[in-house]
Amino acid sequence: MTIDPHLLSGAYALDALDDEERRAFEQHLDECPECAEEVRGFADTAARLGDAASVAVPDHLRAAVLDQVRRTPQERPAVVPMRRRRRLAGSLAAAAVAAAVLGGVTVYAVDQHQQAEQLRVQQSEVSRVLAAPDAELATTAVRGGGTVKVVVSADADRAVMVLADLPELGDDRDYQMWTQVGDEMVSAGVVPRDEQGAVGTHVMEDVADVSAVALTVEPAGGSDGPSSDPIALVETPGA
Amino acid sequence: MPTPDPGPRSLRAVASDATPSPDTLLERVARGDEKAFAALYDELAPAVLGLVRRVLRDPARSEEVAQEVFLQVWQKAQRFDASRGRARTWVLTLAHRRAVDAVRHDQAASDRDRRYDWTGPEHDQVVEEVTTRLEHEQVRRCLGSLTDLQREAVNLAYYRGYTYAEVASLLDANPATVKTRMRDGLIRLRDCLGVPA
């Protein structure tokens, strides 16, 4: 007997599925916006049940958590989930690409001591893309100031986006990155505010179907879709 | 005590004095702000620890898991997307998932009582420690508005970490029915609590 996957939304939101069913339902969620919307409301509802279980917290737990956090680096992902891979035509020598972008990469602002480790991980990701034989570079000026450089490698199935010297925005607005897949703009994340006026490097995965990378100004915290025209749009090389 | 001023100026003052919302705090945490993390911890630790303890029962193990949850919040804060949901929900969803994984993992090696001895949230020993807030009364009242099967299915899954198949066997009900009751129980609960659909 097959069961309508829609009906699993409640059990999913309560974590009452086994691992296999959970994975299957998460796949279904990608294709079913109504289900995703329903799960969101259920998650808020379940969180109220969690709130209702609140207890007094012992002081030693706070000390232990804060101490551990002080010693632990944060993850720094900028990952765009997408589909098939496709080879990009034409190519620049990796060395030329590296020369063109590396300034930006090395000036990457390290504003917290614990980011040193993330930086190392990210730089190795960046090097991997730059070192790919099929790496290609595109550069554009940003309307309003600053530049965007994009390096794409189909072999590495990754793109590196370097944002430089974007003017600082008021607290009510953020820069947001997008990838264009067909006619759709997919969010690639909000640009952290500390990168405004500085240099930021972002690695994107699964870029085979991406035809362009764009930057917009959005209300603080970002939007589901671009709410204004891009201030920069880079067609990925070979697209 | 200052005299309340009914004008809009007073409203603004109240808003600006308020603790930043978990959403704002989590966005700061994503940028490596340890002070914001401490404030977020203070805001959410009672719910996280309480929820984990509900599921796991063992106080020492619960503290371990709650600590893992907050470490995960710190490490993965960049993945939080305010356009897709609230920070409080994001953290409690992480906490619940982690607690459920832990209880299922520990299950074989522990003395977790797998018998159905659940007597309702008001009789649970942990509830005695619950800080009394209006919201808790509302949750209790809304749980009370569910049918017995809906309520028990939601309670056993959420507060005890059982899968729907286990819930079905505990309640001697059809698994397909239990799944459906979890969903319509949550719909009724959501509407009763006034959570936006």
Side-chain angles (χ1 to χ4, degrees), chain A residues 14-34:
Chain A
L14 295 170
D15 288 323
L17 300 179
D18 64 35
D19 290 348
E20 198 178 317
E21 291 168 312
R22 185 194 281 176
R23 272 192 295 276
F25 186 75
E26 281 172 350
Q27 263 176 14
H28 173 69
L29 275 183
D30 287 343
E31 296 148 18
C32 177
E34 310 89 72

Side-chain angles (χ1 to χ4, degrees), chain B residues 17-82:
Chain B
D17 284 352
T19 318
S21 73
D23 299 297
T24 307
L25 290 172
L26 187 51
E27 281 172 9
R28 289 183 196 161
V29 171
R31 299 195 296 268
D33 184 336
E34 290 180 19
K35 278 205 183 100
F37 180 85
L40 186 69
Y41 172 89
D42 291 338
E43 176 73 19
L44 298 180
V48 167
L49 182 63
L51 174 57
V52 171
R53 204 186 280 176
R54 269 298 183 91
V55 175
L56 287 172
R57 302 264 153 153
D58 176 329
R61 179 84 175 109
S62 301
E63 286 185 19
E64 248 171 59
V65 171
Q67 187 169 345
E68 287 166 18
V69 169
F70 277 105
L71 190 66
Q72 211 180 357
V73 167
W74 168 251
Q75 290 179 300
K76 298 185 188 304
Q78 289 256 352
R79 295 192 194 179
F80 170 68
D81 179 351

Side-chain angles (χ1 to χ4, degrees), chain B residues 14-161:
Chain B
V14 168
S16 69
D17 284 352
T19 318
S21 73
D23 299 297
T24 307
L25 290 172
L26 187 51
E27 281 172 9
R28 289 183 196 161
V29 171
R31 299 195 296 268
D33 184 336
E34 290 180 19
K35 278 205 183 100
F37 180 85
L40 186 69
Y41 172 89
D42 291 338
E43 176 73 19
L44 298 180
V48 167
L49 182 63
L51 174 57
V52 171
R53 204 186 280 176
R54 269 298 183 91
V55 175
L56 287 172
R57 302 264 153 153
D58 176 329
R61 179 84 175 109
S62 301
E63 286 185 19
E64 248 171 59
V65 171
Q67 187 169 345
E68 287 166 18
V69 169
F70 277 105
L71 190 66
Q72 211 180 357
V73 167
W74 168 251
Q75 290 179 300
K76 298 185 188 304
Q78 289 256 352
R79 295 192 194 179
F80 170 68
D81 179 351
S83 70
R84 288 171 184 274
R86 302 160 63 223
R88 177 180 288 277
T89 298
W90 190 75
V91 172
L92 284 173
T93 302
L94 278 182
H96 192 258
R97 180 70 60 89
R98 195 99 185 180
V100 164
D101 286 348
V103 82
R104 289 181 193 159
H105 178 267
D106 294 352
Q107 194 174 301
S110 83
D111 57 357
R112 182 187 184 214
D113 186 354
R114 302 297 295 177
R115 286 174 299 121
Y116 180 38
D117 61 351
W118 195 81
T119 51
E122 50 282 306
H123 302 120
D124 196 287
Q125 55 171 26
V126 177
V127 169
E128 287 165 25
E129 301 170 45
V130 166
T131 54
T132 50
R133 292 201 320 218
L134 199 59
E135 161 141 356
H136 302 172
E137 288 310 314
Q138 194 194 9
V139 168
R140 188 172 304 175
R141 183 175 57 75
C142 288
L143 278 170
S145 76
L146 306 185
T147 69
D148 289 349
L149 187 55
Q150 285 173 342
R151 184 174 53 251
E152 288 176 11
V154 168
N155 272 323
L156 286 168
Y158 192 73
Y159 286 133
R160 297 293 299 274

